[in-house]
Amino acid sequence: LHYPLRRQRQMCIRDRYCNMLEKKVIRGEGIKVPVHKLNSVLQIGDYIITSGVSPKDFVTNEWAVGMHDQALMCLKNIQTILETAGATLEDLISIEVYINDVRWYKEFNDVWNEFFADVKCPPTRSTFQLGLLAPNMHIEMRAYAVKNTKYVEE
């Protein structure tokens, strides 16, 4: 007698969580449309995941020059993507950073610290050195965010 009721309750819980996670492509003014079969930004439920964000201005389509400007352009592009998806810098949970030379690390850190100076809880970060595909491209980033997060201080 109890089995059907328990099974029905389990199905309700499963369906509630499964239906909650819809996957959609985030598109907006300035967000690049890839040439290959992939998406620049996906939103799954409240999660936002980007492909590699390059230091190319979304509006002018021009590459930023030098590490400082390229790092700043990547971060601003991430901010634009988040705002298009209805999120903020406070919703960022992690950023993967790819730089082409470890000698850029200090200059990149300076840009990072300045950019996130007013963010209560900046995202985690992993930084990797690797060769990047575009010539004169010093940096690329990939971001992960969860919309409507609330920072709780311990």
Side-chain angles (χ1 to χ4, degrees):
L1 182 67
H2 297 291
Y3 177 76
L5 184 59
R6 188 175 73 201
R7 178 85 174 133
Q8 185 179 7
R9 190 171 44 228
Q10 287 173 342
M11 289 174 62
C12 251
I13 291 169
R14 186 201 67 208
D15 290 346
R16 185 173 63 214
Y17 288 108
C18 290
N19 291 337
M20 180 175 65
L21 297 178
E22 293 178 357
K23 180 167 76 171
K24 67 179 180 178
V25 177
I26 301 298
R27 292 196 170 89
E29 187 176 326
I31 296 178
K32 69 177 183 176
V33 177
V35 241
H36 307 291
K37 186 125 178 89
L38 58 95
N39 289 301
S40 295
V41 188
L42 285 178
Q43 182 174 335
I44 299 97
D46 284 341
Y47 296 90
I48 300 164
I49 303 164
T50 72
S51 292
V53 177
S54 66
K56 201 174 198 180
D57 189 297
F58 282 165
V59 178
T60 66
N61 212 27
E62 293 181 13
W63 291 92
V65 179
M67 173 49 99
H68 180 276
D69 290 347
Q70 286 193 10
L72 190 57
M73 181 59 63
C74 284
L75 291 168
K76 285 181 178 180
N77 286 346
I78 289 171
Q79 185 174 19
T80 299
I81 288 167
L82 292 173
E83 289 170 355
T84 301
T88 69
L89 290 175
E90 293 288 349
D91 295 323
L92 275 170
I93 56 172
S94 187
I95 296 181
E96 293 171 2
V97 180
Y98 308 98
I99 57 176
N100 69 345
D101 193 328
V102 76
R103 290 179 290 181
W104 295 115
Y105 192 73
K106 183 189 178 325
E107 189 172 351
F108 165 67
N109 271 332
D110 293 343
V111 174
W112 179 277
N113 291 335
E114 181 182 324
F115 190 81
F116 288 107
D118 296 329
V119 175
K120 289 181 188 175
C121 184
T124 64
R125 182 182 89 193
S126 297
T127 307
F128 307 93
Q129 177 183 336
L130 55 104
L132 300 171
L133 297 175
N136 299 319
M137 185 170 146
H138 303 303
I139 191 166
E140 185 176 47
M141 298 181 196
R142 182 174 186 188
Y144 304 84
V146 180
K147 286 171 59 170
N148 306 314
T149 56
K150 180 182 174 188
Y151 174 59
V152 179
E153 272 188 79
E154 296 265 340

